Amino acid sequence: MTIKNKLRTGIGFLFVLALICCGLSIYFLNRLSADAGVILKDNYKTLQYTQKILAAIDASGGLITPAQVKTIDYNLNLQRHNVTEQGEGKLTDSLSAVYEKIKLPGQDIKLQNELRIQARQLIYGIMQLNMNAISHKNDVATHTASRATILVAFCGAFLFLVAFSFAVNFPGYIANPLKELTARIKEVSNRNYHQQIHFKSDDEFGELGEAFNVMTKKLDEFENSNLASILFEKKRIETIINSMHDAILGLDEKLIIIFANEVACTLIGMTAEQLNGRYAPDIALENDLLRNLLVNDQPKLKIFADNRESFYSRESLSVNSKGKVIGKVIILKNITEYQQLDEAKTNFIATISHELKTPISSIKMSLKLLDDSRIGAVNTEQKQLLENIDDDARRLLQITGELLDMAQVETGKLQLNFGSTHPRNIVDYAVRAIKFTADQKQVAINVDCDENLPEVHADLDKTTWVLINLLSNAIKYSHEKSTVELVVKKHHNDEIEFSVQDHGKGIEEQYLSRLFERYFKVPNASADQTGTGLGLAIAKDFIEAQSGEIHVDSELGAGSKFTFTLKRIV
């Protein structure tokens, strides 16, 4: 039988017992009510009638009055219709006969008194007969009440015992199997698959126990069949990790060190036995490298190991399971060789750029002398060639300047000369420097810079270079006879914002995030709009070196807006 049917049977049995108890109570209450009703309806009314007749007969010692006759006739008539006991009818008829004699006129007093005595005796007889009936019926009602009390008490006690037994045993019937099942499941969660449940029942608990036993057997088979392969894979992965030249450190979500390969152990200066299973922040208290790995997010680290200085790039990978982070892996890649090559490349570019500036400057000087009429006259074709050479020399000089600036940034030798200056000085310097280029393309520069702005803390030369670069780009991408807006205003409480807005064709959104990357050029730009791809990258480095920020907003067909901020003097 299923648990559902057992519950239905038990609760139905309790319901039937309750109905029986209620039925018996109602039955005996009706019996008692009927017995009491008979007493009140029959015998008690007879006593009332006879008392009124007796009172009317005894009202006077002489002849009875018409009012007494009326009272006696009325109550005697009611009594005739309320005869309920054996012999009561005969006494009532005798009383009626005596009463008829009493009513006869012309009787002497003596005869009247005799008849009244007879009437009283008959009335007392009727009253005694009904009083005896009342006593008998009261005994019957008392017996009925006693029997009802016993039966109802027995049924109630039986119902209480059944309900109490049900309340005591049924929770255990449900809870005990669940408790045992919970304990077995906890054991299974600890990889103890040798668990069996034996429920001695043929209901759902029995089916649950059988299903649980089948599950644990399958899990045990699966564990035994895959344990060897898992151990093999674990060993293989550990071998691969240890053979890598990168330092690899694994931590769980509680920052407990799970594994560290040989390279990581060498860099940290501890063995794998000393690291594995320990809380990483505790070790970091006494280990500078591990503290930097946990606290700082530096993408590049300089580490002294194996009696030499090496460079490593840091990469942190989160390990997720079902949308929850369960750990992370820190990887340190040795980039010493690449760092040396990069430094060599930077030094080479710096050297070449520096060496190229002198001959380029000589070329520009020679071009200026050739353009002087005192040296000699040149024809139109020669003058055009000289102008082309001058443009190319100017472009080469700009490229070498940008390469030198980039070399300074990459080598960390960027030197800033901070000072206090009004934003207007930066604006005026930049506008004067770019005015010739703007006039050639007939582009107007609208300046909005309040004279009441506070001074900024910045490197005047570097900041002006950035603004010139932004204005130059805005002019390049503007249409002829258009305008460029240069706006300087307060930004938050401690910054001044410089913005350059052009109304050119704009930049596609997919390229905005790469504008400040080195050597990146927007595709499909015209020949006169292309550059080295270094200007914006250098500008970003210059501004961020001054604790500022630079960003761009652009929309196709509406132009672009470049903005950077500088700290104000408080």
Side-chain angles (χ1 to χ4, degrees):
M1 182 182 293
T2 63
I3 295 176
K4 184 185 293 184
N5 291 333
K6 288 180 180 179
L7 286 173
R8 287 174 178 172
T9 302
I11 296 174
F13 181 67
L14 291 176
F15 182 71
V16 170
L17 288 178
L19 285 179
I20 292 173
C21 187
C22 291
L24 288 174
S25 300
I26 293 172
Y27 170 75
F28 284 111
L29 285 175
N30 287 333
R31 286 283 305 276
L32 289 173
S33 177
D35 293 342
V38 169
I39 294 173
L40 291 173
K41 180 180 179 182
D42 300 332
N43 305 108
Y44 183 70
K45 288 183 178 180
T46 296
L47 291 176
Q48 286 182 325
Y49 302 152
T50 53
Q51 284 179 353
K52 290 179 180 179
I53 294 172
L54 182 62
I57 292 175
D58 292 339
S60 62
L63 298 174
I64 60 177
T65 63
Q68 294 171 340
V69 171
K70 184 178 180 180
T71 300
I72 294 172
D73 287 339
Y74 176 73
N75 286 283
L76 187 58
N77 183 49
L78 293 174
Q79 172 57 28
R80 290 192 191 100
H81 293 85
N82 194 43
V83 176
T84 57
E85 304 299 330
Q86 187 176 5
E88 185 179 355
K90 184 178 180 181
L91 291 174
T92 302
D93 292 339
S94 298
L95 178 62
S96 297
V98 172
Y99 171 64
E100 293 297 329
K101 293 179 181 180
I102 293 174
K103 289 194 305 180
L104 293 176
Q107 295 181 358
D108 58 3
I109 298 302
K110 182 177 179 181
L111 181 60
Q112 280 280 344
N113 290 333
E114 290 178 355
L115 291 172
R116 288 183 178 181
I117 291 172
Q118 292 179 10
R120 290 190 192 97
Q121 291 176 348
L122 292 172
I123 290 172
Y124 286 143
I126 294 172
M127 293 176 68
Q128 185 63 42
L129 187 64
N130 280 275
M131 291 179 66
N132 290 336
I134 289 173
S135 177
H136 174 70
K137 291 178 179 179
N138 181 64
D139 293 339
V140 172
T142 302
H143 177 70
T144 301
S146 299
R147 188 171 59 173
T149 302
I150 294 172
L151 288 175
V152 172
F154 174 78
C155 290
F158 182 71
L159 179 62
F160 172 78
L161 290 175
V162 173
F164 181 77
S165 176
F166 185 80
V168 170
N169 296 320
F170 183 74
Y173 176 78
I174 298 294
N176 290 340
L178 293 178
K179 185 177 181 180
E180 183 177 357
L181 179 63
T182 302
R184 301 295 184 181
I185 290 174
K186 289 181 179 179
E187 291 294 329
V188 171
S189 66
N190 293 327
R191 294 182 177 274
N192 184 7
Y193 300 129
H194 301 286
Q195 301 294 318
Q196 295 289 298
I197 295 179
H198 301 286
F199 292 140
K200 297 179 180 179
S201 59
D202 57 352
D203 51 20
E204 287 86 351
F205 283 126
E207 295 177 0
L208 179 64
E210 292 178 2
F212 180 84
N213 295 337
V214 172
M215 180 193 71
T216 53
K217 288 180 181 178
K218 294 294 184 182
L219 287 174
D220 188 48
E221 293 174 2
F222 180 80
E223 178 76 7
N224 291 330
S225 63
N226 287 277
L227 182 59
S229 61
I230 291 173
L231 292 175
F232 173 76
E233 289 297 327
K234 178 176 179 293
K235 188 66 176 177
R236 188 167 70 90
I237 292 173
E238 289 178 349
T239 302
I240 293 173
I241 292 176
N242 284 324
S243 64
M244 295 179 67
H245 298 292
D246 300 330
I248 301 176
L249 184 69
L251 303 95
D252 64 9
E253 71 275 13
K254 298 180 181 179
L255 296 181
I256 302 296
I257 298 176
I258 302 175
F259 61 84
N261 67 350
E262 295 178 0
V263 179
C265 293
T266 302
L267 294 178
I268 295 175
M270 301 176 68
T271 63
E273 290 75 14
Q274 293 173 324
L275 292 174
N276 293 341
R278 293 188 60 186
Y279 186 52
D282 289 343
I283 303 176
L285 293 175
E286 300 177 355
N287 191 286
D288 294 337
L289 176 57
L290 189 56
R291 182 165 59 252
N292 287 331
L293 293 178
L294 295 177
V295 177
N296 301 323
D297 291 330
Q298 298 175 353
K300 186 182 296 185
L301 297 173
K302 184 188 294 185
I303 302 173
F304 188 83
D306 295 333
N307 297 321
R308 67 189 183 96
E309 192 177 69
S310 301
F311 293 89
Y312 289 84
S313 65
R314 179 186 183 277
E315 185 177 1
S316 180
L317 304 176
S318 297
V319 181
N320 299 313
S321 177
K322 297 180 180 180
K324 180 182 178 182
V325 178
I326 61 173
K328 66 177 180 179
V329 178
I330 299 176
I331 303 174
L332 294 179
K333 295 183 179 180
N334 194 334
I335 57 171
T336 304
E337 182 178 353
Y338 302 105
Q339 181 71 20
Q340 293 172 349
L341 291 174
D342 188 62
E343 289 180 358
K345 179 263 297 180
T346 301
N347 292 331
F348 175 76
I349 291 175
T351 302
I352 294 300
S353 300
H354 185 270
E355 293 297 327
L356 285 175
K357 288 191 73 174
T358 300
I360 292 173
S361 298
S362 299
I363 292 172
K364 287 185 67 64
M365 179 60 69
S366 299
L367 289 171
K368 189 173 182 181
L369 291 174
L370 286 173
D371 194 41
D372 193 338
S373 58
R374 292 175 295 178
I375 300 299
V378 293
N379 57 33
T380 305
E381 290 79 6
Q382 292 172 336
K383 187 173 182 63
Q384 183 64 43
L385 289 173
L386 290 176
E387 289 178 357
N388 292 339
I389 295 172
D390 185 56
D391 289 339
D392 291 338
R394 178 176 53 79
R395 190 161 172 268
L396 281 173
L397 190 61
Q398 179 184 357
I399 292 173
T400 55
E402 290 180 350
L403 289 173
L404 277 174
D405 290 333
M406 183 57 65
Q408 288 184 359
V409 172
E410 289 182 348
T411 56
K413 297 178 181 179
L414 179 63
Q415 296 181 352
L416 297 176
N417 298 316
F418 284 101
S420 299
T421 185
H422 194 277
R424 188 75 195 190
N425 297 332
I426 301 173
V427 171
D428 291 342
Y429 191 1
V431 172
R432 284 197 303 269
I434 205 69
K435 188 176 185 307
F436 178 75
T437 304
D439 291 342
Q440 281 186 322
K441 201 171 182 179
Q442 299 181 19
V443 174
I445 301 176
N446 294 335
V447 179
D448 181 8
C449 180
D450 191 352
E451 295 291 343
N452 296 323
L453 288 174
E455 294 186 346
V456 293
H457 182 67
D459 184 313
L460 179 60
D461 293 336
K462 296 293 189 297
T463 306
T464 303
W465 186 94
V466 172
L467 190 55
I468 292 172
N469 185 272
L470 297 181
L471 287 171
S472 176
N473 289 340
I475 294 170
K476 281 182 183 180
Y477 288 93
S478 294
H479 306 294
E480 289 188 357
K481 298 181 180 180
S482 62
T483 58
V484 172
E485 281 82 26
L486 172 55
V487 180
V488 185
K489 61 182 180 180
K490 288 184 179 180
H491 183 68
H492 299 309
N493 294 327
D494 60 343
E495 291 179 336
I496 300 297
E497 180 185 87
F498 296 75
S499 64
V500 177
Q501 169 79 57
D502 66 65
H503 301 282
K505 66 177 183 179
I507 305 170
E508 295 182 37
E509 185 178 359
Q510 59 181 323
Y511 302 127
L512 293 180
S513 60
R514 301 190 59 194
L515 281 181
F516 297 100
E517 293 181 5
R518 297 172 187 174
Y519 307 108
F520 176 77
K521 300 177 184 180
V522 177
N524 302 322
S526 60
D528 60 339
Q529 292 176 340
T530 57
T532 61
L534 292 174
L536 290 177
I538 296 172
K540 182 175 184 292
D541 290 330
F542 282 174
I543 294 301
E544 291 182 350
Q546 299 177 78
S547 301
E549 294 180 354
I550 185 170
H551 63 274
V552 60
D553 295 308
S554 185
E555 183 179 351
L556 282 178
S560 304
K561 181 180 180 181
F562 286 83
T563 305
F564 67 88
T565 59
L566 294 175
K567 297 295 183 181
R568 56 171 287 189
I569 300 296
V570 182

